[in-house]
Amino acid sequence: MDPTTKINLPESELERVVIVGGGFGGLQLARKLAKSDFQVVLIDRNNYHQFQPLFYQVAMSGLEPSSIVFPFRKLFQGRENMFIRMAEVTHVDTSAKQLQTPLGHCNYDHLIVATGADTNYYGNKQLERLTLPMKSVSEALYLRNSILDDYEDALTTPSYQDRQELVDIVIVGGGATGVELAGSLAEMKTHVLPKDYPELHVQEEFDIYLVQSGDVILKGMSAGSSAKALRYLEELGVKVILNNRVTDFDGRLVTLKDGRTIPSQKVIWAAGVKGMPIPGLPEEAITHGNRLAVDRHNRVAGTDCIYAIGDVAYMEEPDFPEGHPQVAQVAIQMGEHLAKNLRYRHLRGEVWEAFSYNDKGSMATIGRARAVVDIPKPEFHFGGILAWLVWLLVHLFAILGTRNKIFVFLNWLYNYINYNQSLRLIIRPRRGTDTSAG
Amino acid sequence: MDPTTKINLPESELERVVIVGGGFGGLQLARKLAKSDFQVVLIDRNNYHQFQPLFYQVAMSGLEPSSIVFPFRKLFQGRENMFIRMAEVTHVDTSAKQLQTPLGHCNYDHLIVATGADTNYYGNKQLERLTLPMKSVSEALYLRNSILDDYEDALTTPSYQDRQELVDIVIVGGGATGVELAGSLAEMKTHVLPKDYPELHVQEEFDIYLVQSGDVILKGMSAGSSAKALRYLEELGVKVILNNRVTDFDGRLVTLKDGRTIPSQKVIWAAGVKGMPIPGLPEEAITHGNRLAVDRHNRVAGTDCIYAIGDVAYMEEPDFPEGHPQVAQVAIQMGEHLAKNLRYRHLRGEVWEAFSYNDKGSMATIGRARAVVDIPKPEFHFGGILAWLVWLLVHLFAILGTRNKIFVFLNWLYNYINYNQSLRLIIRPRRGTDTSAG
């Protein structure tokens, strides 16, 4: 597109806030500004908000993508100051206060960078090309299709060694994503796959590996919860490999740092994330983990009227001298806080308030009816079925939309009773010539 | 794959029935043989059965694909004589009684061709390349994504003429698919789009055209029902063009036989189907509409132990001297009948019974709370809300699986109350680098 084209937006006397990214932080900010005296433009490459904590259930055929994503337009129906544009922001010109997108350019008075984080391969191009990430609902769906495709292929693979590559799965990274995925995969192996694939020797042949570089899983949680989660995973049959790293993967064989090898075609990379700042922001603002250094008002270092929130932001505060954890709660609180600063303090010319994170705790679920929960104040840890019920409730309430809540709840209930979801479908949108109806 | 590779199936003393295609006919046959004294192999290019009558609701964001498809493996859990293979059958060698697939070859004692029908472009390669078909759930999903993508693009298209191409939709074919799609699109235009896209002039600018070559729509139905359906569509604002045909389409402009032109980038082709016989079947068996001529036992002309059922089969019987309509009921009844002939008469050496079709009637729905129903015996036609309720019930009961029934019912209920589904999502499985969470 001609770079002189202007993105189609009405002229307005209001100051324009452009939010790039509609994840937890960007969406919270947009909602809080939806009835304010700003013109708000939300730009995202998708037309929906994604509920990241449940991606792993989409990958494991436990939920449909539509149950955990929500279309922006529906959310902002009737908000006359809100404009939604589906585009990828390719560049920002900070002196002209202008963004570039394939739809044209767009000026801003205030720019909010809420672009989040993407999978970090630490510069290893081969791992980037050959392993599977899970940082979007599209990637989760791709992973689901890959897993199911490989089980189908295993049926017609007579050699034991070749079959191992298809049915063994290696998960790299012992954070919440890796642990929840491993637990869920282990449940599927026990309860679903033997019934779906009676021709395969599921219990004997299917292995799930979880490789973690440190000596604990769920590093950010309490020692007690980490240990409990490890025990849960091992009870479920997951082979947890601690203090090790994947050093090489050629698409068929995984090599670990200690020289051990695992034959597998599917390596799920959940070993780290890096911030995704918009190209054009000042180099000096980019800091730890490719994040943007921000002050306590979320202002990006060395810029004017540009703010970063959520996973892409790096803010130090007395209680978090090495920055905040990259979790939904931080993003949501930053979005809400910045909205207040813009709406009440900026528009009235008052002094902005500094952000401080209120840690409400963390949790992870490990398969069916097991989870671990840490509450910080007062410090309290618990696990087992009670933790699992707390996990269910918290996630159910956090999902956007009544319909989604009902559908997720029914799916979980159905799954809990039946051990056996009927979503093991390999569906890809296709333009033509794909019929097989009899 | 090496053509000498044999598809991995256990040796058995039972006769092997290979069913190609798990649509309405193939699936019914497979279910009836699932506990019989045959080894049954079901080969389909997908791992799920598709409920074709509701594809249009997937395309219109009214239902999720997963609600109207059902995984074969789940359906046949615990059936030890059933084997499911996901593959495309590329050729049949009738003398060797052998099928070729990318997974290897497969011998059969009895071959059932239940491959159905695909979109018929009547040899027009340009229309095949540029129009959108809707004969699978993947195609319906692609259509949904295209429609939503184009509305997004319309927002940033300042020229009225260019915008017309993006928002106007031309449906070709006045059969049930075209009519139901047009009705559903008209409801979306009235109730949903103005709220989602307040920046666009939906009522003034968005047009839905239905082009039908004959002088009635729903040709197979009674004259009364056809007329009623036409009136319903026109009340909903659909521009129905009768006695006309699309003669040219260059991707941006549709030209009709009478010289009229319509600017549109989206032409949905629902104008006809053709049978999809397996390559290698005798030429002389291929007849009207690329279907396979079969006798009253569904035996394909000029072959031995090869049977065709459903849309791909062409059978004449006294009440249907020009063959049966290509509808689900015929396929289901043929599948059930052939299963009985194989299971009871063939295995016991008895004389086979001839098939005869029991027409239970036909129906079509046009938007919200309107439908037409024809009952043949005793002849009876009705429309309106009662017909719509009958339509809902019949389709709900026909969908496989309790979970699917519940989810479709809840979606319909939610839609009926809210006029406003939250499934307007553009989701595509993607391997990597697709994050935009904030």
Side-chain angles (χ1 to χ4, degrees), chain A residues 73 85 116 152 199 420 437-438, chain B residues 73-74 85 114 116 152 199 437:
Chain A
R73 297 206 173 276
R85 291 295 177 265
E152 292 295 324
E199 301 166 63
N420 197 350
Chain B
R73 297 207 173 275
K74 170 139 180 155
R85 293 293 179 265
E152 292 295 324
E199 301 167 63

Side-chain angles (χ1 to χ4, degrees), chain B residues 345-363:
Chain B
R345 289 147 209 148
H346 168 75
L347 287 183
R348 294 177 194 159
E350 293 170 12
V351 177
W352 285 35
E353 271 183 25
F355 174 79
S356 67
Y357 175 50
N358 171 20
D359 184 5
K360 294 180 182 168
S362 51
M363 54 178 79

Side-chain angles (χ1 to χ4, degrees), chain A residues 38-169:
Chain A
F38 288 105
Q39 188 189 62
V40 183
V41 181
L42 174 63
I43 306 183
D44 195 296
R45 70 179 83 175
N46 295 309
N47 73 342
Y48 49 81
H49 168 74
Q50 316 190 35
F51 191 74
Q52 193 160 335
L54 294 177
F55 285 170
Y56 81 95
Q57 296 205 0
V58 171
M60 291 299 107
S61 309
L63 289 175
E64 273 309 275
S66 61
S67 303
I68 63 156
V69 307
F70 201 87
F72 292 126
R73 297 206 173 276
K74 171 141 179 153
L75 206 58
F76 293 107
Q77 281 180 355
R79 298 285 175 263
E80 288 176 9
N81 68 324
M82 276 292 310
F83 298 88
I84 296 151
R85 291 295 177 265
M86 199 173 83
E88 190 140 356
V89 174
T90 51
H91 193 266
V92 56
D93 180 339
T94 55
S95 53
K97 296 182 98 171
Q98 191 174 81
L99 294 172
Q100 280 296 344
T101 81
L103 301 176
H105 62 72
C106 172
N107 291 322
Y108 61 82
D109 296 303
H110 308 272
L111 171 64
I112 322 295
V113 184
T115 43
D118 200 1
T119 306
N120 194 350
Y121 300 95
Y122 305 100
N124 190 323
K125 289 285 170 200
Q126 179 148 334
L127 290 178
E128 181 166 356
R129 197 164 42 85
L130 296 175
T131 66
L132 296 160
M134 209 185 59
K135 283 289 288 174
S136 70
V137 77
S138 298
E139 290 172 1
L141 206 51
Y142 185 93
L143 180 56
R144 178 203 289 191
N145 288 349
S146 302
I147 291 173
L148 296 174
D149 268 337
D150 282 356
Y151 293 155
E152 292 295 324
D153 285 350
L155 283 171
T156 50
T157 303
S159 139
Y160 170 80
Q161 200 56 36
D162 292 346
R163 215 159 47 226
Q164 284 296 293
E165 289 180 12
L166 294 168
V167 299
D168 283 5
I169 296 180

Side-chain angles (χ1 to χ4, degrees), chain B residues 237-248:
Chain B
V238 175
K239 301 188 171 173
V240 182
I241 302 174
L242 297 173
N243 294 309
N244 220 320
R245 280 191 311 112
V246 170
T247 53
D248 194 28

